[in-house]
Amino acid sequence: MPPKASKSKDAPVERPILGRFSSHLKIGIVGMPNVGKSTLFNTLTKMSIAAENYPFCTIDPNEARVNVPDERFEWLCQLFKPKSEVSAFLEIHDIAGLVRGAHQGEGLGNSFLSHIRAVDGIFHVLRAFEDVDITHVDDTVDPVRDLETISQELRLKDIEFMENKIEDLEKSMKRSNDKQLKLEHEICLKVKAWVEEGKDIRLGEWKASEVEVLNTFQLLTAKPVVYLVNMTEKDYQRKKNKFLPKIHAWVQEHGGEQIIPFSGIFEKNLTDMPEDEAARYCEEKQVQSGIPKIIKTGFSAINLIYFFTAGPDEVKCWQIRRQAKAPQAAGTIHTDFERGFICAEVMKFEDLKELGSESAVKNVGFIGLGNMGSHMAMNLVKSGYEVSVCDITLAFDFRNVTAVKPFLEKGVPVRQNPAEIAEASDVVITMLPSSSHVTNVYTGLNGLLQNNSSLRPWLFIDCSTIDPLTSRKVSLSVSDCALNEKL
């Protein structure tokens, strides 16, 4: 049986993510009336993807899907020249403006808050410009006051929701001794107390069991926020605005989330121009559109990532939620792939771009689960560690000759005797024909190390590509020694 991968005590623990576990997530544009929400949304709408690109999906007038800019996707399309190109996209919803008292139904408050509950993240648009022709609902322009207003309204709505939930749970607890009800009740009391202290849920440190319950509520202050500061074109061009320092100070005190300055009027004018004219205009003014950064940041904020599939028929970005595992990623392509998942053959985009073709990547052994090991080993060679290529039991299998070539070209010695390897090596690389050979080598060398304290400590890296499913268990096995700490 292959040895288990050692777990570093300092290894970072993934923080559980608040929000729906889905690849179909969306973000809403939120703000006070007359702050530039519609201008931003209309600009994005002009960039939106035609609905026919996504069958069985109707886009309402207040929704838009925009491509996520990515140079890697464009490069893949140029390489494969596919019949179909499907980029990653961000779904954006325009949400009605909020006024003070919205949690009690003032203005369009109830509609506003229900629409926020339906999205997975928030673009919070702030007005940082003065214009006598554009009135503010509170008569004066004060973005920090607007931040306080909207944040308070969202918290009040969450408190109202939690009070109702606690009341329902207490009624259920009188009729049942279900331990789960008691646990959920305790979590609800904890969450309510947190929000009543004026703190947003997304800023709390919650246990995985608490996040599991919280994610069933879709609370408003649990949603990630990106702050978009709308300023005049002049301020945007000179990168100065009198409101910006105060906005920055407030955001740092309330979670330190992303702030992106932009100019709604500048972006509107830019999208109205022909592409070549817009490029000349940006060059003359020495300024760039903020829209690509807004789209990328929003996509990341709602915890979406993607992987590519590429070929002459189609180059496509497959969207998955951050922390999804390989079987779940395969399931986005077809549900059968998740149910019957065995392993995935993958390569890094950087390797493909450097080597130029899929076959070239395969030929140098930088594909499959051995990919990480190959890169790690080569980096150690370059760093000056004593690295040995292991040739025990069987000489290099003919299928792996090209995989070991880069190491031989660097002068990495080939050693066969286990004692010699253990005495002379900081790092042992294997590229053997089966997982059983890899396991035998690992256990043999590890036994030598444990029985002889004078031997040099070493790091074991398996770069095999021919049996990735089982050798994966060995490829991350690192000897429990000083070198591991050193690295």
Side-chain angles (χ1 to χ4, degrees):
M1 182 176 179
K4 294 181 180 179
S6 62
K7 294 182 179 179
S8 169
K9 295 179 181 179
D10 300 325
V13 178
E14 284 188 332
R15 182 181 178 183
I17 295 175
L18 288 165
R20 295 188 300 133
F21 197 94
S22 170
S23 58
H24 303 290
L25 305 177
K26 47 200 173 184
I27 195 164
I29 300 177
V30 172
M32 303 286 284
N34 296 338
V35 297
K37 299 188 309 300
S38 295
T39 301
L40 173 62
F41 181 77
N42 291 337
T43 299
L44 292 167
T45 302
K46 290 178 183 178
M47 302 167 59
S48 63
I49 308 165
E52 57 266 23
N53 285 354
Y54 297 89
F56 315 114
C57 179
T58 301
I59 302 296
D60 292 333
N62 67 330
E63 300 173 18
R65 278 185 171 183
V66 294
N67 287 320
V68 177
D70 192 330
E71 293 179 355
R72 298 172 302 170
F73 176 76
E74 295 173 5
W75 188 90
L76 288 170
C77 290
Q78 291 174 2
L79 177 67
F80 290 99
K81 297 180 173 52
K83 299 172 185 175
S84 172
E85 301 176 5
V86 184
S87 72
F89 66 88
L90 177 64
E91 185 170 327
I92 303 173
H93 288 223
D94 188 17
I95 296 175
L98 172 148
V99 294
R100 199 178 306 276
H103 72 286
Q104 297 174 328
E106 292 293 327
L108 296 174
N110 288 328
S111 172
F112 170 92
L113 296 167
S114 66
H115 289 161
I116 293 181
R117 197 176 301 282
V119 299
D120 303 284
I122 295 171
F123 276 145
H124 188 159
V125 180
L126 297 165
R127 176 173 171 176
F129 66 90
E130 294 174 328
D131 189 328
V132 293
D133 296 326
I134 304 176
T135 60
H136 191 286
V137 68
D138 289 331
D139 295 327
T140 57
V141 176
D142 186 346
V144 172
R145 179 196 58 208
D146 295 350
L147 280 165
E148 293 283 3
T149 297
I150 289 188
S151 298
Q152 179 71 358
E153 291 299 325
L154 298 185
R155 283 194 295 270
L156 289 170
K157 198 65 179 178
D158 278 350
I159 291 171
E160 179 187 311
F161 179 92
M162 295 312 302
E163 287 173 343
N164 293 334
K165 186 66 181 176
I166 290 168
E167 184 179 339
D168 291 343
L169 285 169
E170 288 173 348
K171 289 178 182 177
S172 299
M173 288 166 65
K174 290 177 181 178
R175 301 190 297 268
S176 170
N177 292 323
D178 189 343
K179 292 182 179 179
Q180 183 60 32
L181 289 175
K182 184 180 179 181
L183 176 63
E184 191 171 331
H185 183 259
E186 291 173 355
I187 293 172
C188 288
L189 289 174
K190 180 180 177 180
V191 171
K192 179 173 175 285
W194 176 270
V195 181
E196 285 177 337
E197 291 175 7
K199 295 181 284 190
D200 292 342
I201 291 166
R202 68 183 178 278
L203 306 180
E205 293 291 336
W206 308 102
K207 299 176 184 175
S209 58
E210 294 169 337
V211 169
E212 190 175 347
V213 173
L214 281 168
N215 285 348
T216 64
F217 301 154
Q218 288 295 293
L219 295 168
L220 306 182
T221 63
K223 301 180 187 298
V225 179
V226 178
Y227 298 97
L228 306 181
V229 183
N230 187 13
M231 56 184 67
T232 63
E233 182 175 346
K234 181 180 178 181
D235 282 356
Y236 180 66
Q237 185 177 345
R238 66 193 185 105
K239 300 179 181 179
K240 289 184 179 179
N241 179 275
K242 67 178 183 180
F243 297 109
L244 206 50
K246 293 180 180 179
I247 294 171
H248 182 267
W250 188 95
V251 171
Q252 293 306 306
E253 291 175 7
H254 296 80
E257 289 162 301
Q258 183 87 28
I259 302 172
I260 302 179
F262 80 106
S263 171
I265 191 66
F266 167 72
E267 301 296 350
K268 176 182 179 298
N269 293 338
L270 214 58
T271 54
D272 289 339
M273 297 178 190
E275 191 173 334
D276 56 343
E277 185 180 335
R280 284 197 303 272
Y281 184 79
C282 289
E283 188 177 350
E284 290 171 5
K285 300 289 185 179
Q286 294 185 327
V287 66
Q288 294 296 321
S289 169
I291 295 296
K293 184 176 181 180
I294 290 173
I295 294 170
K296 288 181 178 180
T297 305
F299 189 87
S300 177
I302 56 177
N303 295 301
L304 285 176
I305 58 175
Y306 53 89
F307 63 94
F308 301 104
T309 55
D313 290 330
E314 182 180 65
V315 171
K316 183 170 182 176
C317 300
W318 297 90
Q319 300 184 185
I320 54 176
R321 189 177 185 257
R322 189 173 282 116
Q323 294 185 2
K325 306 302 181 187
Q328 295 163 332
T332 61
I333 300 175
H334 198 289
T335 52
D336 287 349
F337 292 171
E338 182 173 359
R339 287 195 294 267
F341 184 83
I342 298 176
C343 67
E345 187 178 82
V346 298
M347 68 180 74
K348 288 186 177 181
F349 170 81
E350 290 77 12
D351 292 337
L352 179 62
K353 186 174 182 181
E354 180 181 349
L355 298 170
S357 70
E358 185 176 346
S359 59
V361 176
K362 288 182 177 180
N363 286 339
V364 296
F366 286 174
I367 193 166
L369 293 166
N371 178 30
M372 181 178 62
S374 295
H375 277 287
M376 185 189 298
M378 187 57 75
N379 286 337
L380 291 169
V381 171
K382 293 175 181 176
S383 299
Y385 288 97
E386 278 294 329
V387 180
S388 293
V389 174
C390 178
D391 187 22
I392 300 175
T393 311
L394 287 177
F396 296 119
D397 185 84
F398 70 93
R399 287 166 290 187
N400 269 330
V401 170
T402 52
V404 79
K405 188 177 178 181
F407 298 101
L408 300 181
E409 289 176 347
K410 290 286 183 180
V412 175
V414 177
R415 294 189 170 102
Q416 291 184 316
N417 185 283
E420 181 188 3
I421 289 173
E423 288 174 358
S425 308
D426 290 328
V427 181
V428 180
I429 304 170
T430 63
M431 296 186 186
L432 299 174
S434 74
S435 60
S436 61
H437 289 116
V438 174
T439 304
N440 290 339
V441 170
Y442 176 86
T443 53
L445 290 173
N446 202 34
L448 283 171
L449 184 65
Q450 290 173 352
N451 294 328
N452 189 343
S453 59
S454 67
L455 294 179
R456 299 175 62 158
W458 46 263
L459 175 68
F460 184 93
I461 302 175
D462 173 46
C463 305
S464 301
T465 60
I466 49 181
D467 194 4
L469 180 60
T470 46
S471 68
R472 169 181 56 179
K473 299 174 184 176
V474 182
S475 64
L476 302 182
S477 296
V478 179
S479 57
D480 185 14
C481 63
L483 181 61
N484 186 22
E485 296 174 9
K486 181 179 177 182
L487 292 173

